[in-house]
Amino acid sequence: MYVKRLLTATLAACLFTVQAAHAAGRELVMGLIPAENNEEMVQKFEPMRAYLERKLGHKVKVFTATDYTGVIEAMKKKRVDIAWFGPLSYILAEREAGAEAFAVGVRDNGKSTYKSIFVVPGDSPAKTLADLKGKSVAFVDPASTSGGLMPTFLVKQETGRMPQDFFGKFTYAGSHDAAELAVKNKTVDAAADNDITYEKMLAQGLITPESNRILMESPELPGSPLVYRKDLDAKLKKALKEAIVSAHQEIKVTGYGNLSRYEEALPSDYQKIREMVTELGLKREQMLK
């Protein structure tokens, strides 16, 4: 009996050791929402991916999807461990997939915040949001903060109506870049975007202040967070956070926008987003395509 128990204990210990070794060496997957085109997103996060791989001793793979929902679903199914979300898509991932914010990028201007904007062609007669009544307008994605939630909030606040009831034709462009190009090409009368993508596209010469004029800016929004699944190993989460917030000491950090560093973020930093969702009475199916 003693020998049998000893063999059983030994086998169990060996199995635990194999499982632990597998877990320690397994691939980590980082999901990126398609704020810009997927290829550009992957390129922007490549230095951070390579840095994390070296720092953590884990292979790190990048996952992208055609829409925001795809990354949320991947995290929900545990196919994504770490992700970069917008504030609203983070709140949705928090509800759907147990996501927890741990870091946010600080821009070269020293801010971790950004703004939603309405953009119109330079020769548009529109002077205020009210002038877009009955017009063709593109938002980015139902799960986008600056290209979905905040412009919806602004329209409701200014007009008392939801975008689909106020505008003549209401569509989703799929990415911030696509929304700006729709305005430039005059396939829509206006679009919602954010100041990060707008400034980037100006710098790249893809748009100009004459082709794409800012009609309106929102108040400051909390920045787009890096998140991990709450059920990840506590030591791994600690190592991830420490690696990200100290990355600027070893590399030129990269991500969405021109960043100087990352700082710690907390779930409570995004309470403003939760309150807007509640105030607008948005249901799950209205925010997830």
PDB file of all heavy atoms in Angstrom, residues 173-203:
ATOM      1  N   ALA A 173     -17.704  52.846 -40.688  1.00  0.00           N
ATOM      2  CA  ALA A 173     -16.589  52.740 -41.634  1.00  0.00           C
ATOM      3  C   ALA A 173     -15.690  51.551 -41.336  1.00  0.00           C
ATOM      4  O   ALA A 173     -14.987  51.066 -42.217  1.00  0.00           O
ATOM      5  CB  ALA A 173     -15.764  54.021 -41.609  1.00  0.00           C
ATOM      6  N   GLY A 174     -15.653  51.071 -40.087  1.00  0.00           N
ATOM      7  CA  GLY A 174     -14.838  49.918 -39.733  1.00  0.00           C
ATOM      8  C   GLY A 174     -13.516  50.259 -39.068  1.00  0.00           C
ATOM      9  O   GLY A 174     -13.020  49.510 -38.232  1.00  0.00           O
ATOM     10  N   SER A 175     -12.919  51.395 -39.440  1.00  0.00           N
ATOM     11  CA  SER A 175     -11.675  51.851 -38.803  1.00  0.00           C
ATOM     12  C   SER A 175     -11.640  53.372 -38.848  1.00  0.00           C
ATOM     13  O   SER A 175     -12.357  54.008 -39.633  1.00  0.00           O
ATOM     14  CB  SER A 175     -10.439  51.282 -39.504  1.00  0.00           C
ATOM     15  OG  SER A 175     -10.236  51.912 -40.762  1.00  0.00           O
ATOM     16  N   HIS A 176     -10.793  53.958 -38.008  1.00  0.00           N
ATOM     17  CA  HIS A 176     -10.669  55.419 -37.972  1.00  0.00           C
ATOM     18  C   HIS A 176     -10.111  55.957 -39.288  1.00  0.00           C
ATOM     19  O   HIS A 176     -10.564  56.991 -39.793  1.00  0.00           O
ATOM     20  CB  HIS A 176      -9.794  55.839 -36.793  1.00  0.00           C
ATOM     21  CG  HIS A 176     -10.435  55.593 -35.459  1.00  0.00           C
ATOM     22  ND1 HIS A 176     -11.267  56.504 -34.860  1.00  0.00           N
ATOM     23  CD2 HIS A 176     -10.388  54.527 -34.636  1.00  0.00           C
ATOM     24  CE1 HIS A 176     -11.691  56.020 -33.707  1.00  0.00           C
ATOM     25  NE2 HIS A 176     -11.173  54.812 -33.555  1.00  0.00           N
ATOM     26  N   ASP A 177      -9.130  55.265 -39.841  1.00  0.00           N
ATOM     27  CA  ASP A 177      -8.554  55.682 -41.129  1.00  0.00           C
ATOM     28  C   ASP A 177      -9.629  55.733 -42.210  1.00  0.00           C
ATOM     29  O   ASP A 177      -9.699  56.688 -42.996  1.00  0.00           O
ATOM     30  CB  ASP A 177      -7.468  54.690 -41.572  1.00  0.00           C
ATOM     31  CG  ASP A 177      -6.235  54.727 -40.698  1.00  0.00           C
ATOM     32  OD1 ASP A 177      -6.391  54.743 -39.471  1.00  0.00           O
ATOM     33  OD2 ASP A 177      -5.124  54.738 -41.242  1.00  0.00           O
ATOM     34  N   ALA A 178     -10.443  54.678 -42.244  1.00  0.00           N
ATOM     35  CA  ALA A 178     -11.485  54.594 -43.271  1.00  0.00           C
ATOM     36  C   ALA A 178     -12.502  55.711 -43.118  1.00  0.00           C
ATOM     37  O   ALA A 178     -13.014  56.247 -44.115  1.00  0.00           O
ATOM     38  CB  ALA A 178     -12.179  53.234 -43.204  1.00  0.00           C
ATOM     39  N   ALA A 179     -12.806  56.091 -41.875  1.00  0.00           N
ATOM     40  CA  ALA A 179     -13.753  57.185 -41.641  1.00  0.00           C
ATOM     41  C   ALA A 179     -13.201  58.497 -42.188  1.00  0.00           C
ATOM     42  O   ALA A 179     -13.918  59.276 -42.832  1.00  0.00           O
ATOM     43  CB  ALA A 179     -14.047  57.306 -40.148  1.00  0.00           C
ATOM     44  N   GLU A 180     -11.915  58.748 -41.946  1.00  0.00           N
ATOM     45  CA  GLU A 180     -11.288  59.983 -42.448  1.00  0.00           C
ATOM     46  C   GLU A 180     -11.259  60.001 -43.973  1.00  0.00           C
ATOM     47  O   GLU A 180     -11.528  61.037 -44.604  1.00  0.00           O
ATOM     48  CB  GLU A 180      -9.868  60.112 -41.900  1.00  0.00           C
ATOM     49  CG  GLU A 180      -9.777  60.423 -40.417  1.00  0.00           C
ATOM     50  CD  GLU A 180     -10.129  61.866 -40.080  1.00  0.00           C
ATOM     51  OE1 GLU A 180     -10.356  62.678 -41.011  1.00  0.00           O
ATOM     52  OE2 GLU A 180     -10.184  62.183 -38.876  1.00  0.00           O
ATOM     53  N   LEU A 181     -10.939  58.869 -44.577  1.00  0.00           N
ATOM     54  CA  LEU A 181     -10.871  58.803 -46.041  1.00  0.00           C
ATOM     55  C   LEU A 181     -12.249  58.960 -46.668  1.00  0.00           C
ATOM     56  O   LEU A 181     -12.376  59.505 -47.773  1.00  0.00           O
ATOM     57  CB  LEU A 181     -10.223  57.491 -46.478  1.00  0.00           C
ATOM     58  CG  LEU A 181      -8.730  57.361 -46.134  1.00  0.00           C
ATOM     59  CD1 LEU A 181      -8.214  55.975 -46.509  1.00  0.00           C
ATOM     60  CD2 LEU A 181      -7.911  58.451 -46.831  1.00  0.00           C
ATOM     61  N   ALA A 182     -13.284  58.516 -45.975  1.00  0.00           N
ATOM     62  CA  ALA A 182     -14.650  58.687 -46.480  1.00  0.00           C
ATOM     63  C   ALA A 182     -15.015  60.168 -46.550  1.00  0.00           C
ATOM     64  O   ALA A 182     -15.697  60.611 -47.482  1.00  0.00           O
ATOM     65  CB  ALA A 182     -15.640  57.938 -45.596  1.00  0.00           C
ATOM     66  N   VAL A 183     -14.519  60.934 -45.574  1.00  0.00           N
ATOM     67  CA  VAL A 183     -14.745  62.389 -45.596  1.00  0.00           C
ATOM     68  C   VAL A 183     -13.924  63.024 -46.719  1.00  0.00           C
ATOM     69  O   VAL A 183     -14.425  63.840 -47.498  1.00  0.00           O
ATOM     70  CB  VAL A 183     -14.369  63.030 -44.240  1.00  0.00           C
ATOM     71  CG1 VAL A 183     -14.389  64.553 -44.339  1.00  0.00           C
ATOM     72  CG2 VAL A 183     -15.331  62.563 -43.155  1.00  0.00           C
ATOM     73  N   LYS A 184     -12.666  62.640 -46.815  1.00  0.00           N
ATOM     74  CA  LYS A 184     -11.794  63.196 -47.856  1.00  0.00           C
ATOM     75  C   LYS A 184     -12.371  62.948 -49.250  1.00  0.00           C
ATOM     76  O   LYS A 184     -12.351  63.842 -50.113  1.00  0.00           O
ATOM     77  CB  LYS A 184     -10.399  62.575 -47.752  1.00  0.00           C
ATOM     78  CG  LYS A 184      -9.438  63.051 -48.837  1.00  0.00           C
ATOM     79  CD  LYS A 184      -8.098  62.344 -48.730  1.00  0.00           C
ATOM     80  CE  LYS A 184      -7.160  62.783 -49.853  1.00  0.00           C
ATOM     81  NZ  LYS A 184      -5.842  62.106 -49.769  1.00  0.00           N
ATOM     82  N   ASN A 185     -12.874  61.739 -49.466  1.00  0.00           N
ATOM     83  CA  ASN A 185     -13.423  61.363 -50.773  1.00  0.00           C
ATOM     84  C   ASN A 185     -14.874  61.797 -50.964  1.00  0.00           C
ATOM     85  O   ASN A 185     -15.464  61.541 -52.017  1.00  0.00           O
ATOM     86  CB  ASN A 185     -13.314  59.842 -50.960  1.00  0.00           C
ATOM     87  CG  ASN A 185     -11.869  59.364 -50.974  1.00  0.00           C
ATOM     88  OD1 ASN A 185     -10.979  60.078 -51.410  1.00  0.00           O
ATOM     89  ND2 ASN A 185     -11.636  58.156 -50.469  1.00  0.00           N
ATOM     90  N   LYS A 186     -15.416  62.414 -49.925  1.00  0.00           N
ATOM     91  CA  LYS A 186     -16.787  62.934 -49.947  1.00  0.00           C
ATOM     92  C   LYS A 186     -17.834  61.853 -50.219  1.00  0.00           C
ATOM     93  O   LYS A 186     -18.866  62.113 -50.833  1.00  0.00           O
ATOM     94  CB  LYS A 186     -16.923  64.083 -50.953  1.00  0.00           C
ATOM     95  CG  LYS A 186     -16.066  65.294 -50.598  1.00  0.00           C
ATOM     96  CD  LYS A 186     -16.353  66.487 -51.490  1.00  0.00           C
ATOM     97  CE  LYS A 186     -15.554  67.705 -51.048  1.00  0.00           C
ATOM     98  NZ  LYS A 186     -15.823  68.894 -51.892  1.00  0.00           N
ATOM     99  N   THR A 187     -17.561  60.649 -49.728  1.00  0.00           N
ATOM    100  CA  THR A 187     -18.582  59.601 -49.804  1.00  0.00           C
ATOM    101  C   THR A 187     -19.548  59.728 -48.637  1.00  0.00           C
ATOM    102  O   THR A 187     -20.606  59.097 -48.633  1.00  0.00           O
ATOM    103  CB  THR A 187     -17.942  58.198 -49.805  1.00  0.00           C
ATOM    104  OG1 THR A 187     -17.094  58.063 -48.657  1.00  0.00           O
ATOM    105  CG2 THR A 187     -17.106  57.991 -51.055  1.00  0.00           C
ATOM    106  N   VAL A 188     -19.170  60.539 -47.630  1.00  0.00           N
ATOM    107  CA  VAL A 188     -20.079  60.905 -46.541  1.00  0.00           C
ATOM    108  C   VAL A 188     -19.955  62.412 -46.310  1.00  0.00           C
ATOM    109  O   VAL A 188     -18.981  63.040 -46.727  1.00  0.00           O
ATOM    110  CB  VAL A 188     -19.746  60.154 -45.233  1.00  0.00           C
ATOM    111  CG1 VAL A 188     -19.971  58.655 -45.388  1.00  0.00           C
ATOM    112  CG2 VAL A 188     -18.328  60.447 -44.759  1.00  0.00           C
ATOM    113  N   ASP A 189     -20.939  62.974 -45.637  1.00  0.00           N
ATOM    114  CA  ASP A 189     -20.919  64.410 -45.328  1.00  0.00           C
ATOM    115  C   ASP A 189     -20.117  64.709 -44.071  1.00  0.00           C
ATOM    116  O   ASP A 189     -19.677  65.852 -43.866  1.00  0.00           O
ATOM    117  CB  ASP A 189     -22.349  64.936 -45.151  1.00  0.00           C
ATOM    118  CG  ASP A 189     -23.178  64.793 -46.413  1.00  0.00           C
ATOM    119  OD1 ASP A 189     -22.708  65.252 -47.472  1.00  0.00           O
ATOM    120  OD2 ASP A 189     -24.295  64.220 -46.353  1.00  0.00           O
ATOM    121  N   ALA A 190     -19.944  63.688 -43.232  1.00  0.00           N
ATOM    122  CA  ALA A 190     -19.197  63.867 -41.983  1.00  0.00           C
ATOM    123  C   ALA A 190     -18.844  62.499 -41.419  1.00  0.00           C
ATOM    124  O   ALA A 190     -19.431  61.484 -41.795  1.00  0.00           O
ATOM    125  CB  ALA A 190     -20.008  64.663 -40.963  1.00  0.00           C
ATOM    126  N   ALA A 191     -17.878  62.494 -40.501  1.00  0.00           N
ATOM    127  CA  ALA A 191     -17.509  61.244 -39.837  1.00  0.00           C
ATOM    128  C   ALA A 191     -17.015  61.534 -38.430  1.00  0.00           C
ATOM    129  O   ALA A 191     -16.553  62.641 -38.132  1.00  0.00           O
ATOM    130  CB  ALA A 191     -16.422  60.506 -40.623  1.00  0.00           C
ATOM    131  N   ALA A 192     -17.137  60.520 -37.577  1.00  0.00           N
ATOM    132  CA  ALA A 192     -16.578  60.598 -36.228  1.00  0.00           C
ATOM    133  C   ALA A 192     -15.212  59.938 -36.237  1.00  0.00           C
ATOM    134  O   ALA A 192     -15.003  58.932 -36.908  1.00  0.00           O
ATOM    135  CB  ALA A 192     -17.498  59.897 -35.236  1.00  0.00           C
ATOM    136  N   ASP A 193     -14.275  60.503 -35.503  1.00  0.00           N
ATOM    137  CA  ASP A 193     -12.921  59.959 -35.430  1.00  0.00           C
ATOM    138  C   ASP A 193     -12.337  60.381 -34.090  1.00  0.00           C
ATOM    139  O   ASP A 193     -13.063  60.762 -33.169  1.00  0.00           O
ATOM    140  CB  ASP A 193     -12.085  60.483 -36.603  1.00  0.00           C
ATOM    141  CG  ASP A 193     -10.673  59.888 -36.650  1.00  0.00           C
ATOM    142  OD1 ASP A 193     -10.497  58.766 -36.141  1.00  0.00           O
ATOM    143  OD2 ASP A 193      -9.754  60.555 -37.172  1.00  0.00           O
ATOM    144  N   ASN A 194     -11.009  60.342 -33.968  1.00  0.00           N
ATOM    145  CA  ASN A 194     -10.347  60.888 -32.783  1.00  0.00           C
ATOM    146  C   ASN A 194      -9.136  61.711 -33.191  1.00  0.00           C
ATOM    147  O   ASN A 194      -8.667  61.625 -34.335  1.00  0.00           O
ATOM    148  CB  ASN A 194      -9.972  59.788 -31.788  1.00  0.00           C
ATOM    149  CG  ASN A 194      -8.965  58.797 -32.346  1.00  0.00           C
ATOM    150  OD1 ASN A 194      -7.936  59.181 -32.887  1.00  0.00           O
ATOM    151  ND2 ASN A 194      -9.260  57.511 -32.222  1.00  0.00           N
ATOM    152  N   ASP A 195      -8.645  62.501 -32.248  1.00  0.00           N
ATOM    153  CA  ASP A 195      -7.543  63.408 -32.571  1.00  0.00           C
ATOM    154  C   ASP A 195      -6.230  62.674 -32.847  1.00  0.00           C
ATOM    155  O   ASP A 195      -5.367  63.186 -33.559  1.00  0.00           O
ATOM    156  CB  ASP A 195      -7.351  64.447 -31.463  1.00  0.00           C
ATOM    157  CG  ASP A 195      -7.094  63.844 -30.086  1.00  0.00           C
ATOM    158  OD1 ASP A 195      -7.330  62.633 -29.898  1.00  0.00           O
ATOM    159  OD2 ASP A 195      -6.667  64.600 -29.184  1.00  0.00           O
ATOM    160  N   ILE A 196      -6.072  61.448 -32.342  1.00  0.00           N
ATOM    161  CA  ILE A 196      -4.835  60.695 -32.578  1.00  0.00           C
ATOM    162  C   ILE A 196      -4.706  60.313 -34.051  1.00  0.00           C
ATOM    163  O   ILE A 196      -3.693  60.581 -34.702  1.00  0.00           O
ATOM    164  CB  ILE A 196      -4.782  59.428 -31.696  1.00  0.00           C
ATOM    165  CG1 ILE A 196      -4.753  59.812 -30.216  1.00  0.00           C
ATOM    166  CG2 ILE A 196      -3.554  58.585 -32.048  1.00  0.00           C
ATOM    167  CD1 ILE A 196      -4.842  58.623 -29.275  1.00  0.00           C
ATOM    168  N   THR A 197      -5.754  59.681 -34.589  1.00  0.00           N
ATOM    169  CA  THR A 197      -5.717  59.272 -35.994  1.00  0.00           C
ATOM    170  C   THR A 197      -5.703  60.485 -36.916  1.00  0.00           C
ATOM    171  O   THR A 197      -5.012  60.502 -37.939  1.00  0.00           O
ATOM    172  CB  THR A 197      -6.911  58.368 -36.336  1.00  0.00           C
ATOM    173  OG1 THR A 197      -6.834  57.191 -35.534  1.00  0.00           O
ATOM    174  CG2 THR A 197      -6.917  57.962 -37.798  1.00  0.00           C
ATOM    175  N   TYR A 198      -6.454  61.522 -36.562  1.00  0.00           N
ATOM    176  CA  TYR A 198      -6.498  62.732 -37.380  1.00  0.00           C
ATOM    177  C   TYR A 198      -5.095  63.339 -37.514  1.00  0.00           C
ATOM    178  O   TYR A 198      -4.640  63.647 -38.625  1.00  0.00           O
ATOM    179  CB  TYR A 198      -7.456  63.746 -36.746  1.00  0.00           C
ATOM    180  CG  TYR A 198      -7.613  65.029 -37.531  1.00  0.00           C
ATOM    181  CD1 TYR A 198      -8.434  65.091 -38.655  1.00  0.00           C
ATOM    182  CD2 TYR A 198      -6.948  66.195 -37.146  1.00  0.00           C
ATOM    183  CE1 TYR A 198      -8.586  66.268 -39.382  1.00  0.00           C
ATOM    184  CE2 TYR A 198      -7.094  67.380 -37.856  1.00  0.00           C
ATOM    185  CZ  TYR A 198      -7.916  67.409 -38.978  1.00  0.00           C
ATOM    186  OH  TYR A 198      -8.051  68.579 -39.685  1.00  0.00           O
ATOM    187  N   GLU A 199      -4.394  63.481 -36.391  1.00  0.00           N
ATOM    188  CA  GLU A 199      -3.048  64.066 -36.419  1.00  0.00           C
ATOM    189  C   GLU A 199      -2.067  63.172 -37.174  1.00  0.00           C
ATOM    190  O   GLU A 199      -1.198  63.663 -37.896  1.00  0.00           O
ATOM    191  CB  GLU A 199      -2.570  64.297 -34.983  1.00  0.00           C
ATOM    192  CG  GLU A 199      -3.319  65.423 -34.274  1.00  0.00           C
ATOM    193  CD  GLU A 199      -3.037  65.475 -32.778  1.00  0.00           C
ATOM    194  OE1 GLU A 199      -2.159  64.701 -32.311  1.00  0.00           O
ATOM    195  OE2 GLU A 199      -3.691  66.269 -32.082  1.00  0.00           O
ATOM    196  N   LYS A 200      -2.216  61.858 -37.005  1.00  0.00           N
ATOM    197  CA  LYS A 200      -1.343  60.919 -37.714  1.00  0.00           C
ATOM    198  C   LYS A 200      -1.524  61.034 -39.219  1.00  0.00           C
ATOM    199  O   LYS A 200      -0.541  61.100 -39.971  1.00  0.00           O
ATOM    200  CB  LYS A 200      -1.659  59.491 -37.263  1.00  0.00           C
ATOM    201  CG  LYS A 200      -0.863  58.415 -37.989  1.00  0.00           C
ATOM    202  CD  LYS A 200      -1.603  57.100 -38.069  1.00  0.00           C
ATOM    203  CE  LYS A 200      -2.758  57.146 -39.060  1.00  0.00           C
ATOM    204  NZ  LYS A 200      -3.368  55.831 -39.327  1.00  0.00           N
ATOM    205  N   MET A 201      -2.776  61.100 -39.669  1.00  0.00           N
ATOM    206  CA  MET A 201      -3.043  61.153 -41.103  1.00  0.00           C
ATOM    207  C   MET A 201      -2.642  62.494 -41.703  1.00  0.00           C
ATOM    208  O   MET A 201      -2.220  62.570 -42.856  1.00  0.00           O
ATOM    209  CB  MET A 201      -4.503  60.811 -41.375  1.00  0.00           C
ATOM    210  CG  MET A 201      -4.842  59.370 -41.025  1.00  0.00           C
ATOM    211  SD  MET A 201      -6.539  58.872 -41.421  1.00  0.00           S
ATOM    212  CE  MET A 201      -6.448  58.704 -43.215  1.00  0.00           C
ATOM    213  N   LEU A 202      -2.735  63.565 -40.911  1.00  0.00           N
ATOM    214  CA  LEU A 202      -2.216  64.864 -41.356  1.00  0.00           C
ATOM    215  C   LEU A 202      -0.705  64.770 -41.577  1.00  0.00           C
ATOM    216  O   LEU A 202      -0.181  65.218 -42.602  1.00  0.00           O
ATOM    217  CB  LEU A 202      -2.510  65.947 -40.321  1.00  0.00           C
ATOM    218  CG  LEU A 202      -3.915  66.523 -40.229  1.00  0.00           C
ATOM    219  CD1 LEU A 202      -3.971  67.569 -39.114  1.00  0.00           C
ATOM    220  CD2 LEU A 202      -4.352  67.158 -41.552  1.00  0.00           C
ATOM    221  N   ALA A 203      -0.010  64.193 -40.597  1.00  0.00           N
ATOM    222  CA  ALA A 203       1.453  64.084 -40.668  1.00  0.00           C
ATOM    223  C   ALA A 203       1.899  63.228 -41.849  1.00  0.00           C
ATOM    224  O   ALA A 203       2.943  63.488 -42.452  1.00  0.00           O
ATOM    225  CB  ALA A 203       1.989  63.499 -39.359  1.00  0.00           C
TER     226      ALA A 203
END
